[in-house]
Amino acid sequence: MQTPLGVPTDLTLSPTTQSSAAMTEIKEYILRESLRPGDPLPTESRLCADLGVSRSSVREAVRTLVALDIVEVRHGHGMFVGRASARPVVESLVFRSRLISQGDYRTLLDLVQVRSTLDQAAAGLVVEAWRGREDEDLDETARQISSLAQQGQPFTEQDRHFHVRLLEPLANQLFRHLGEALWAAHTLSASLLGAPSPSDVVSVAQAHTQMLEAARTGDVTAYREATARHYAPLLESLSLARPE
């Protein structure tokens, strides 16, 4: 199937099969009916009748859509529209990091560089959104990050919350979704590969507070500089490190 501009709705080089056609039709149905995450979908039997394909094709299509988080199956209750989250992207990036990690952390380093680039690109939007904005929750998160770093304790969950919350007010929510996906892929890959911690954890922690302060005062240059300080120790560690 193609869009009005002639672009395939499924970007694949494989031949169209009944299951791939069913998958496309199910996605088109969700869009056509303006369904939202959590809304119910027709039964398997109804989909077979409406699409004119076999039950096995519908089941295969649904399995693929579940893997993509487009469809959710609740056993005993039926099928529902999924969250269409970035989970499949995260899993793919984490697997890629482990698959091609041969004696170094090159792929993980690539992930961190992309994270840094995204944060730098969003700098102007973040400053615009946070100029003069108060948020005690984010202030407390920044304080916890600094305190935990000083104690030599990990601050993984606080770090995730800080970066996600910082991007939440942006009108372009793709920044938040991509940022969260890259954060998760980076964190999971680092854990599974036994990657080193940043060479200066305290500096990384302090950079969070500096980023927030710069955003609130409307200083894009200072925000970008703080972002660079946030990633610099980790980028250096990954560039020099080699697995045992």
Side-chain angles (χ1 to χ4, degrees):
M1 177 177 293
Q2 296 185 332
T3 67
L5 295 179
V7 179
T9 55
D10 283 301
L11 299 179
T12 175
L13 298 179
S14 59
T16 300
T17 62
Q18 277 201 346
S19 61
S20 65
M23 185 170 66
T24 297
E25 290 297 336
I26 293 171
K27 289 189 292 184
E28 290 299 315
Y29 173 84
I30 293 171
L31 296 174
R32 187 169 58 251
E33 298 298 320
S34 300
L35 300 182
R36 308 299 298 170
D39 287 347
L41 290 169
T43 64
E44 186 178 276
S45 299
R46 176 68 181 274
L47 287 173
C48 290
D50 289 351
L51 303 180
V53 296
S54 66
R55 188 177 294 270
S56 61
S57 295
V58 168
R59 286 178 176 173
E60 184 178 346
V62 168
R63 280 196 297 269
T64 301
L65 292 173
V66 167
L68 293 173
D69 204 18
I70 293 174
V71 169
E72 177 187 0
V73 175
R74 302 175 191 171
H75 296 291
H77 298 280
M79 295 185 293
F80 301 81
V81 179
R83 295 181 301 142
S85 69
R87 176 180 55 79
V89 176
V90 173
E91 292 180 358
S92 177
L93 289 172
V94 171
F95 182 72
R96 174 184 170 82
S97 296
R98 300 180 68 190
L99 181 65
I100 65 179
S101 176
Q102 298 179 0
D104 60 32
Y105 297 105
R106 180 68 252 178
T107 305
L108 180 54
L109 178 59
D110 291 347
L111 271 173
V112 177
Q113 287 175 338
V114 172
R115 276 194 68 200
S116 175
T117 300
L118 182 69
D119 279 351
Q120 291 285 352
L125 297 175
V126 171
V127 168
E128 180 182 351
W130 281 94
R131 190 191 308 268
R133 179 191 290 258
E134 296 300 323
D135 189 314
E136 180 55 35
D137 175 61
L138 194 55
D139 288 334
E140 176 60 24
T141 300
R143 285 193 290 267
Q144 289 178 9
I145 289 173
S146 181
S147 176
L148 289 168
Q150 293 285 350
Q151 299 171 45
Q153 298 295 319
F155 47 87
T156 305
E157 185 53 37
Q158 291 81 2
D159 185 65
R160 185 201 68 80
H161 181 72
F162 179 90
H163 288 283
V164 171
R165 181 72 190 99
L166 200 63
L167 296 174
E168 275 183 357
L170 273 60
N172 186 337
Q173 285 293 287
L174 190 56
F175 276 109
R176 180 174 67 83
H177 294 307
L178 288 176
E180 189 169 13
L182 289 170
W183 181 93
H186 158 206
T187 303
L188 289 170
S189 295
S191 175
L192 292 170
L193 295 175
S197 298
S199 55
D200 188 349
V201 176
V202 174
S203 173
V204 172
Q206 291 174 341
H208 290 76
T209 300
Q210 293 163 355
M211 289 168 66
L212 182 56
E213 290 176 349
R216 281 179 169 155
T217 58
D219 193 333
V220 177
T221 299
Y223 181 86
R224 289 197 170 109
E225 290 173 349
T227 299
R229 285 193 292 273
H230 172 280
Y231 288 105
L234 178 57
L235 290 170
E236 181 181 7
S237 297
L238 291 174
S239 297
L240 298 175
R242 294 290 185 274
E244 295 294 332

